[in-house]
mmCIF file of all heavy atoms in Angstrom:
data_model
loop_
_atom_site.group_PDB
_atom_site.id
_atom_site.type_symbol
_atom_site.label_atom_id
_atom_site.label_comp_id
_atom_site.label_asym_id
_atom_site.label_seq_id
_atom_site.Cartn_x
_atom_site.Cartn_y
_atom_site.Cartn_z
ATOM 1 N N VAL A 26 5.325 -17.532 -10.166
ATOM 2 C CA VAL A 26 5.033 -18.148 -8.873
ATOM 3 C C VAL A 26 3.707 -17.592 -8.375
ATOM 4 O O VAL A 26 3.497 -16.378 -8.366
ATOM 5 C CB VAL A 26 6.140 -17.859 -7.833
ATOM 6 C CG1 VAL A 26 5.749 -18.430 -6.467
ATOM 7 C CG2 VAL A 26 7.466 -18.437 -8.284
ATOM 8 N N SER A 28 1.388 -17.569 -5.009
ATOM 9 C CA SER A 28 1.365 -17.856 -3.581
ATOM 10 C C SER A 28 -0.067 -17.754 -3.084
ATOM 11 O O SER A 28 -0.728 -16.728 -3.273
ATOM 12 C CB SER A 28 2.266 -16.867 -2.829
ATOM 13 O OG SER A 28 2.311 -17.173 -1.446
ATOM 14 N N ILE A 29 -0.546 -18.837 -2.452
ATOM 15 C CA ILE A 29 -1.895 -18.865 -1.887
ATOM 16 C C ILE A 29 -1.751 -18.919 -0.375
ATOM 17 O O ILE A 29 -1.199 -19.879 0.186
ATOM 18 C CB ILE A 29 -2.698 -20.091 -2.379
ATOM 19 C CG1 ILE A 29 -2.699 -20.146 -3.907
ATOM 20 C CG2 ILE A 29 -4.108 -20.070 -1.837
ATOM 21 C CD1 ILE A 29 -1.676 -21.087 -4.497
ATOM 22 N N ASP A 30 -2.244 -17.874 0.301
ATOM 23 C CA ASP A 30 -2.048 -17.783 1.748
ATOM 24 C C ASP A 30 -3.361 -17.496 2.459
ATOM 25 O O ASP A 30 -4.070 -16.535 2.140
ATOM 26 C CB ASP A 30 -1.054 -16.670 2.071
ATOM 27 C CG ASP A 30 0.323 -16.927 1.474
ATOM 28 O OD1 ASP A 30 0.550 -16.540 0.311
ATOM 29 O OD2 ASP A 30 1.160 -17.519 2.179
ATOM 30 N N SER A 34 0.035 -21.827 3.852
ATOM 31 C CA SER A 34 0.680 -21.088 2.759
ATOM 32 C C SER A 34 1.244 -22.088 1.763
ATOM 33 O O SER A 34 2.024 -22.971 2.128
ATOM 34 C CB SER A 34 1.809 -20.206 3.303
ATOM 35 O OG SER A 34 1.285 -19.142 4.077
ATOM 36 N N ILE A 35 0.828 -21.939 0.513
ATOM 37 C CA ILE A 35 1.240 -22.860 -0.549
ATOM 38 C C ILE A 35 1.683 -22.052 -1.756
ATOM 39 O O ILE A 35 1.034 -21.074 -2.124
ATOM 40 C CB ILE A 35 0.075 -23.795 -0.943
ATOM 41 C CG1 ILE A 35 -0.330 -24.667 0.247
ATOM 42 C CG2 ILE A 35 0.453 -24.659 -2.139
ATOM 43 C CD1 ILE A 35 -1.630 -25.415 0.046
ATOM 44 N N GLU A 36 2.773 -22.462 -2.368
ATOM 45 C CA GLU A 36 3.251 -21.815 -3.588
ATOM 46 C C GLU A 36 3.207 -22.810 -4.747
ATOM 47 O O GLU A 36 3.562 -23.985 -4.587
ATOM 48 C CB GLU A 36 4.686 -21.311 -3.425
ATOM 49 C CG GLU A 36 4.786 -20.014 -2.644
ATOM 50 C CD GLU A 36 6.227 -19.522 -2.552
ATOM 51 O OE1 GLU A 36 7.144 -20.217 -3.059
ATOM 52 O OE2 GLU A 36 6.430 -18.456 -1.958
ATOM 53 N N THR A 49 5.090 -25.994 -3.301
ATOM 54 C CA THR A 49 5.870 -25.865 -2.068
ATOM 55 C C THR A 49 4.932 -25.542 -0.919
ATOM 56 O O THR A 49 4.057 -24.672 -1.041
ATOM 57 C CB THR A 49 6.911 -24.738 -2.184
ATOM 58 O OG1 THR A 49 7.713 -24.951 -3.357
ATOM 59 C CG2 THR A 49 7.810 -24.706 -0.962
ATOM 60 N N THR A 50 5.103 -26.265 0.182
ATOM 61 C CA THR A 50 4.273 -26.034 1.366
ATOM 62 C C THR A 50 5.094 -25.351 2.449
ATOM 63 O O THR A 50 6.307 -25.514 2.534
ATOM 64 C CB THR A 50 3.727 -27.360 1.921
ATOM 65 O OG1 THR A 50 4.836 -28.216 2.257
ATOM 66 C CG2 THR A 50 2.849 -28.050 0.899
ATOM 67 N N TYR A 51 4.402 -24.570 3.284
ATOM 68 C CA TYR A 51 5.039 -23.885 4.410
ATOM 69 C C TYR A 51 4.245 -24.214 5.670
ATOM 70 O O TYR A 51 3.150 -23.693 5.876
ATOM 71 C CB TYR A 51 5.072 -22.375 4.170
ATOM 72 C CG TYR A 51 5.955 -21.984 3.007
ATOM 73 C CD1 TYR A 51 5.455 -21.974 1.711
ATOM 74 C CD2 TYR A 51 7.296 -21.665 3.204
ATOM 75 C CE1 TYR A 51 6.270 -21.631 0.641
ATOM 76 C CE2 TYR A 51 8.115 -21.333 2.137
ATOM 77 C CZ TYR A 51 7.590 -21.321 0.863
ATOM 78 O OH TYR A 51 8.402 -20.991 -0.206
ATOM 79 N N GLY A 52 4.793 -25.107 6.485
ATOM 80 C CA GLY A 52 4.125 -25.510 7.723
ATOM 81 C C GLY A 52 3.308 -26.775 7.564
ATOM 82 O O GLY A 52 2.992 -27.222 6.459
ATOM 83 N N MET A 134 11.220 -10.311 -4.910
ATOM 84 C CA MET A 134 10.523 -10.523 -3.640
ATOM 85 C C MET A 134 10.477 -11.996 -3.249
ATOM 86 O O MET A 134 10.598 -12.343 -2.076
ATOM 87 C CB MET A 134 9.110 -9.952 -3.732
ATOM 88 C CG MET A 134 8.291 -10.113 -2.483
ATOM 89 S SD MET A 134 8.136 -8.745 -1.350
ATOM 90 C CE MET A 134 8.159 -7.252 -2.164
ATOM 91 N N CYS A 135 10.302 -12.874 -4.228
ATOM 92 C CA CYS A 135 10.200 -14.306 -3.944
ATOM 93 C C CYS A 135 11.500 -14.831 -3.327
ATOM 94 O O CYS A 135 11.486 -15.601 -2.367
ATOM 95 C CB CYS A 135 9.870 -15.067 -5.220
ATOM 96 S SG CYS A 135 9.216 -16.721 -4.945
ATOM 97 N N GLU A 136 12.611 -14.394 -3.875
ATOM 98 C CA GLU A 136 13.910 -14.825 -3.353
ATOM 99 C C GLU A 136 14.093 -14.355 -1.918
ATOM 100 O O GLU A 136 14.573 -15.105 -1.057
ATOM 101 C CB GLU A 136 15.029 -14.265 -4.243
ATOM 102 C CG GLU A 136 16.413 -14.728 -3.838
ATOM 103 C CD GLU A 136 17.486 -14.212 -4.778
ATOM 104 O OE1 GLU A 136 17.131 -13.657 -5.837
ATOM 105 O OE2 GLU A 136 18.684 -14.369 -4.444
ATOM 106 N N GLU A 137 13.710 -13.123 -1.640
ATOM 107 C CA GLU A 137 13.812 -12.593 -0.280
ATOM 108 C C GLU A 137 12.932 -13.401 0.678
ATOM 109 O O GLU A 137 13.347 -13.713 1.805
ATOM 110 C CB GLU A 137 13.380 -11.121 -0.251
ATOM 111 C CG GLU A 137 14.323 -10.180 -0.972
ATOM 112 C CD GLU A 137 13.830 -8.741 -0.943
ATOM 113 O OE1 GLU A 137 12.842 -8.471 -0.211
ATOM 114 O OE2 GLU A 137 14.402 -7.895 -1.656
ATOM 115 N N ALA A 138 11.709 -13.718 0.235
ATOM 116 C CA ALA A 138 10.791 -14.489 1.079
ATOM 117 C C ALA A 138 11.385 -15.857 1.422
ATOM 118 O O ALA A 138 11.347 -16.296 2.580
ATOM 119 C CB ALA A 138 9.449 -14.656 0.358
ATOM 120 N N HIS A 139 11.941 -16.513 0.433
ATOM 121 C CA HIS A 139 12.492 -17.853 0.650
ATOM 122 C C HIS A 139 13.730 -17.814 1.546
ATOM 123 O O HIS A 139 13.983 -18.765 2.281
ATOM 124 C CB HIS A 139 12.816 -18.507 -0.697
ATOM 125 C CG HIS A 139 11.598 -18.765 -1.521
ATOM 126 N ND1 HIS A 139 11.657 -19.147 -2.855
ATOM 127 C CD2 HIS A 139 10.274 -18.691 -1.217
ATOM 128 C CE1 HIS A 139 10.428 -19.306 -3.313
ATOM 129 N NE2 HIS A 139 9.581 -19.021 -2.350
ATOM 130 N N GLU A 140 14.472 -16.734 1.484
ATOM 131 C CA GLU A 140 15.618 -16.596 2.379
ATOM 132 C C GLU A 140 15.184 -16.538 3.848
ATOM 133 O O GLU A 140 15.943 -16.925 4.741
ATOM 134 C CB GLU A 140 16.400 -15.321 2.029
ATOM 135 C CG GLU A 140 17.187 -15.421 0.731
ATOM 136 C CD GLU A 140 17.845 -14.106 0.354
ATOM 137 O OE1 GLU A 140 17.631 -13.110 1.079
ATOM 138 O OE2 GLU A 140 18.583 -14.094 -0.651
ATOM 139 N N HIS A 141 13.950 -16.066 4.073
ATOM 140 C CA HIS A 141 13.408 -16.006 5.433
ATOM 141 C C HIS A 141 12.512 -17.206 5.747
ATOM 142 O O HIS A 141 11.856 -17.240 6.785
ATOM 143 C CB HIS A 141 12.599 -14.716 5.627
ATOM 144 C CG HIS A 141 13.445 -13.488 5.695
ATOM 145 N ND1 HIS A 141 13.819 -12.768 4.571
ATOM 146 C CD2 HIS A 141 13.997 -12.830 6.746
ATOM 147 C CE1 HIS A 141 14.550 -11.736 4.932
ATOM 148 N NE2 HIS A 141 14.675 -11.746 6.233
ATOM 149 N N GLY A 142 12.493 -18.191 4.835
ATOM 150 C CA GLY A 142 11.695 -19.390 5.062
ATOM 151 C C GLY A 142 10.201 -19.137 5.025
ATOM 152 O O GLY A 142 9.432 -19.815 5.720
ATOM 153 N N MET A 143 9.773 -18.179 4.212
ATOM 154 C CA MET A 143 8.369 -17.801 4.148
ATOM 155 C C MET A 143 7.863 -17.860 2.726
ATOM 156 O O MET A 143 8.637 -17.773 1.772
ATOM 157 C CB MET A 143 8.184 -16.374 4.701
ATOM 158 C CG MET A 143 8.645 -16.193 6.134
ATOM 159 S SD MET A 143 8.584 -14.465 6.641
ATOM 160 C CE MET A 143 6.818 -14.192 6.540
ATOM 161 N N SER A 144 6.541 -17.977 2.609
ATOM 162 C CA SER A 144 5.927 -17.911 1.283
ATOM 163 C C SER A 144 5.973 -16.482 0.771
ATOM 164 O O SER A 144 6.084 -15.524 1.549
ATOM 165 C CB SER A 144 4.475 -18.391 1.339
ATOM 166 O OG SER A 144 3.671 -17.445 2.035
ATOM 167 N N LEU A 145 5.855 -16.347 -0.528
ATOM 168 C CA LEU A 145 5.877 -15.028 -1.156
ATOM 169 C C LEU A 145 4.757 -14.134 -0.625
ATOM 170 O O LEU A 145 4.986 -12.968 -0.271
ATOM 171 C CB LEU A 145 5.733 -15.197 -2.676
ATOM 172 C CG LEU A 145 5.483 -13.932 -3.498
ATOM 173 C CD1 LEU A 145 6.656 -12.977 -3.393
ATOM 174 C CD2 LEU A 145 5.204 -14.295 -4.954
ATOM 175 N N GLY A 146 3.536 -14.679 -0.562
ATOM 176 C CA GLY A 146 2.386 -13.877 -0.152
ATOM 177 C C GLY A 146 2.474 -13.387 1.277
ATOM 178 O O GLY A 146 2.182 -12.222 1.566
ATOM 179 N N LYS A 147 2.866 -14.260 2.185
ATOM 180 C CA LYS A 147 2.947 -13.852 3.595
ATOM 181 C C LYS A 147 4.083 -12.862 3.798
ATOM 182 O O LYS A 147 3.937 -11.892 4.551
ATOM 183 C CB LYS A 147 3.131 -15.074 4.491
ATOM 184 C CG LYS A 147 3.231 -14.719 5.964
ATOM 185 C CD LYS A 147 3.037 -15.924 6.862
ATOM 186 C CE LYS A 147 1.569 -16.310 6.967
ATOM 187 N NZ LYS A 147 1.316 -17.318 8.022
ATOM 188 N N TYR A 148 5.194 -13.070 3.114
ATOM 189 C CA TYR A 148 6.324 -12.136 3.237
ATOM 190 C C TYR A 148 5.923 -10.750 2.740
ATOM 191 O O TYR A 148 6.228 -9.735 3.390
ATOM 192 C CB TYR A 148 7.509 -12.657 2.433
ATOM 193 C CG TYR A 148 8.736 -11.769 2.497
ATOM 194 C CD1 TYR A 148 9.559 -11.772 3.623
ATOM 195 C CD2 TYR A 148 9.068 -10.939 1.434
ATOM 196 C CE1 TYR A 148 10.684 -10.963 3.691
ATOM 197 C CE2 TYR A 148 10.192 -10.123 1.493
ATOM 198 C CZ TYR A 148 10.993 -10.140 2.613
ATOM 199 O OH TYR A 148 12.101 -9.326 2.674
ATOM 200 N N TYR A 149 5.218 -10.704 1.628
ATOM 201 C CA TYR A 149 4.775 -9.415 1.078
ATOM 202 C C TYR A 149 3.824 -8.723 2.049
ATOM 203 O O TYR A 149 3.915 -7.510 2.279
ATOM 204 C CB TYR A 149 4.099 -9.641 -0.268
ATOM 205 C CG TYR A 149 3.487 -8.401 -0.865
ATOM 206 C CD1 TYR A 149 4.281 -7.397 -1.411
ATOM 207 C CD2 TYR A 149 2.106 -8.221 -0.882
ATOM 208 C CE1 TYR A 149 3.720 -6.249 -1.958
ATOM 209 C CE2 TYR A 149 1.539 -7.077 -1.439
ATOM 210 C CZ TYR A 149 2.357 -6.104 -1.965
ATOM 211 O OH TYR A 149 1.791 -4.964 -2.494
ATOM 212 N N ALA A 150 2.884 -9.491 2.622
ATOM 213 C CA ALA A 150 1.917 -8.909 3.561
ATOM 214 C C ALA A 150 2.617 -8.363 4.802
ATOM 215 O O ALA A 150 2.261 -7.287 5.305
ATOM 216 C CB ALA A 150 0.888 -9.965 3.962
ATOM 217 N N ILE A 151 3.623 -9.068 5.281
ATOM 218 C CA ILE A 151 4.330 -8.601 6.476
ATOM 219 C C ILE A 151 5.185 -7.376 6.152
ATOM 220 O O ILE A 151 5.352 -6.485 6.997
ATOM 221 C CB ILE A 151 5.180 -9.738 7.085
ATOM 222 C CG1 ILE A 151 4.267 -10.854 7.603
ATOM 223 C CG2 ILE A 151 6.058 -9.220 8.224
ATOM 224 C CD1 ILE A 151 4.996 -12.041 8.194
ATOM 225 N N GLN A 152 5.698 -7.286 4.929
ATOM 226 C CA GLN A 152 6.435 -6.086 4.540
ATOM 227 C C GLN A 152 5.523 -4.858 4.579
ATOM 228 O O GLN A 152 5.934 -3.772 5.011
ATOM 229 C CB GLN A 152 7.028 -6.254 3.137
ATOM 230 C CG GLN A 152 8.173 -7.243 3.054
ATOM 231 C CD GLN A 152 9.320 -6.901 4.005
ATOM 232 O OE1 GLN A 152 9.820 -5.780 4.009
ATOM 233 N NE2 GLN A 152 9.716 -7.868 4.814
ATOM 234 N N LEU A 154 2.941 -4.608 6.532
ATOM 235 C CA LEU A 154 2.713 -4.388 7.960
ATOM 236 C C LEU A 154 3.870 -3.618 8.593
ATOM 237 O O LEU A 154 3.666 -2.695 9.392
ATOM 238 C CB LEU A 154 2.516 -5.741 8.667
ATOM 239 C CG LEU A 154 2.187 -5.719 10.159
ATOM 240 C CD1 LEU A 154 1.335 -6.938 10.520
ATOM 241 C CD2 LEU A 154 3.452 -5.730 11.021
ATOM 242 N N LEU A 155 5.105 -3.990 8.232
ATOM 243 C CA LEU A 155 6.282 -3.327 8.806
ATOM 244 C C LEU A 155 6.352 -1.860 8.390
ATOM 245 O O LEU A 155 6.881 -1.025 9.127
ATOM 246 C CB LEU A 155 7.559 -4.051 8.374
ATOM 247 C CG LEU A 155 7.718 -5.490 8.878
ATOM 248 C CD1 LEU A 155 9.016 -6.099 8.367
ATOM 249 C CD2 LEU A 155 7.672 -5.549 10.386
ATOM 250 N N THR A 162 8.083 -7.060 13.898
ATOM 251 C CA THR A 162 9.180 -7.835 13.314
ATOM 252 C C THR A 162 8.607 -8.981 12.473
ATOM 253 O O THR A 162 7.448 -9.389 12.651
ATOM 254 C CB THR A 162 10.087 -8.433 14.400
ATOM 255 O OG1 THR A 162 9.317 -9.366 15.195
ATOM 256 C CG2 THR A 162 10.648 -7.329 15.298
ATOM 257 N N LEU A 163 9.423 -9.495 11.577
ATOM 258 C CA LEU A 163 9.027 -10.649 10.767
ATOM 259 C C LEU A 163 8.701 -11.854 11.644
ATOM 260 O O LEU A 163 7.681 -12.524 11.447
ATOM 261 C CB LEU A 163 10.156 -11.016 9.798
ATOM 262 C CG LEU A 163 10.220 -10.294 8.451
ATOM 263 C CD1 LEU A 163 11.520 -10.635 7.753
ATOM 264 C CD2 LEU A 163 9.031 -10.678 7.585
ATOM 265 N N ASP A 164 9.567 -12.146 12.608
ATOM 266 C CA ASP A 164 9.370 -13.322 13.458
ATOM 267 C C ASP A 164 8.081 -13.237 14.253
ATOM 268 O O ASP A 164 7.443 -14.259 14.534
ATOM 269 C CB ASP A 164 10.557 -13.479 14.415
ATOM 270 C CG ASP A 164 11.832 -13.899 13.698
ATOM 271 O OD1 ASP A 164 11.708 -14.461 12.589
ATOM 272 O OD2 ASP A 164 12.926 -13.657 14.222
ATOM 273 N N GLU A 165 7.685 -12.019 14.604
ATOM 274 C CA GLU A 165 6.470 -11.827 15.395
ATOM 275 C C GLU A 165 5.219 -12.232 14.633
ATOM 276 O O GLU A 165 4.238 -12.702 15.223
ATOM 277 C CB GLU A 165 6.382 -10.357 15.814
ATOM 278 C CG GLU A 165 5.193 -9.997 16.684
ATOM 279 C CD GLU A 165 5.132 -8.522 17.015
ATOM 280 O OE1 GLU A 165 6.073 -7.777 16.625
ATOM 281 O OE2 GLU A 165 4.156 -8.112 17.670
ATOM 282 N N PHE A 166 5.235 -12.077 13.301
ATOM 283 C CA PHE A 166 4.023 -12.297 12.523
ATOM 284 C C PHE A 166 4.125 -13.438 11.511
ATOM 285 O O PHE A 166 3.145 -13.718 10.817
ATOM 286 C CB PHE A 166 3.638 -11.007 11.790
ATOM 287 C CG PHE A 166 3.027 -9.971 12.686
ATOM 288 C CD1 PHE A 166 3.821 -9.033 13.327
ATOM 289 C CD2 PHE A 166 1.660 -9.952 12.917
ATOM 290 C CE1 PHE A 166 3.267 -8.086 14.172
ATOM 291 C CE2 PHE A 166 1.090 -9.010 13.756
ATOM 292 C CZ PHE A 166 1.891 -8.071 14.391
ATOM 293 N N LYS A 167 5.254 -14.108 11.409
ATOM 294 C CA LYS A 167 5.427 -15.123 10.369
ATOM 295 C C LYS A 167 4.495 -16.316 10.544
ATOM 296 O O LYS A 167 4.172 -17.004 9.571
ATOM 297 C CB LYS A 167 6.880 -15.580 10.302
ATOM 298 C CG LYS A 167 7.365 -16.342 11.525
ATOM 299 C CD LYS A 167 8.851 -16.668 11.413
ATOM 300 C CE LYS A 167 9.143 -17.513 10.192
ATOM 301 N NZ LYS A 167 10.578 -17.892 10.118
ATOM 302 N N ASP A 168 4.030 -16.573 11.769
ATOM 303 C CA ASP A 168 3.126 -17.696 12.013
ATOM 304 C C ASP A 168 1.669 -17.257 12.173
ATOM 305 O O ASP A 168 0.800 -18.073 12.473
ATOM 306 C CB ASP A 168 3.565 -18.465 13.266
ATOM 307 C CG ASP A 168 4.930 -19.127 13.086
ATOM 308 O OD1 ASP A 168 5.203 -19.599 11.968
ATOM 309 O OD2 ASP A 168 5.717 -19.150 14.047
ATOM 310 N N LYS A 169 1.392 -15.967 11.959
ATOM 311 C CA LYS A 169 0.024 -15.464 12.066
ATOM 312 C C LYS A 169 -0.740 -15.742 10.771
ATOM 313 O O LYS A 169 -0.154 -15.933 9.705
ATOM 314 C CB LYS A 169 0.033 -13.955 12.329
ATOM 315 C CG LYS A 169 0.748 -13.534 13.605
ATOM 316 C CD LYS A 169 -0.010 -13.940 14.847
ATOM 317 C CE LYS A 169 0.657 -13.375 16.091
ATOM 318 N NZ LYS A 169 -0.051 -13.784 17.336
ATOM 319 N N MET A 171 -3.285 -14.680 7.624
ATOM 320 C CA MET A 171 -3.337 -13.481 6.794
ATOM 321 C C MET A 171 -4.349 -12.489 7.349
ATOM 322 O O MET A 171 -4.161 -11.275 7.256
ATOM 323 C CB MET A 171 -3.690 -13.857 5.359
ATOM 324 C CG MET A 171 -2.659 -14.746 4.678
ATOM 325 S SD MET A 171 -0.999 -14.021 4.654
ATOM 326 C CE MET A 171 -1.257 -12.648 3.530
ATOM 327 N N ILE A 174 -2.667 -10.595 10.185
ATOM 328 C CA ILE A 174 -1.687 -9.645 9.640
ATOM 329 C C ILE A 174 -2.400 -8.434 9.054
ATOM 330 O O ILE A 174 -2.008 -7.282 9.293
ATOM 331 C CB ILE A 174 -0.821 -10.329 8.567
ATOM 332 C CG1 ILE A 174 0.047 -11.420 9.204
ATOM 333 C CG2 ILE A 174 0.055 -9.314 7.833
ATOM 334 C CD1 ILE A 174 0.764 -12.301 8.202
#
Side-chain angles (χ1 to χ4, degrees):
V26 176
S28 183
I29 306 98
D30 298 88
S34 291
I35 297 169
E36 282 182 358
T49 306
T50 59
Y51 294 86
M134 180 99 33
C135 198
E136 184 177 350
E137 292 179 9
H139 295 169
E140 288 175 357
H141 288 88
M143 301 173 64
S144 70
L145 169 63
K147 180 165 283 191
Y148 180 77
Y149 174 73
I151 294 179
Q152 289 304 308
L154 183 150
L155 296 179
T162 63
L163 274 171
D164 290 338
E165 182 182 356
F166 285 90
K167 67 184 300 183
D168 295 323
K169 300 290 186 181
M171 297 303 292
I174 294 170

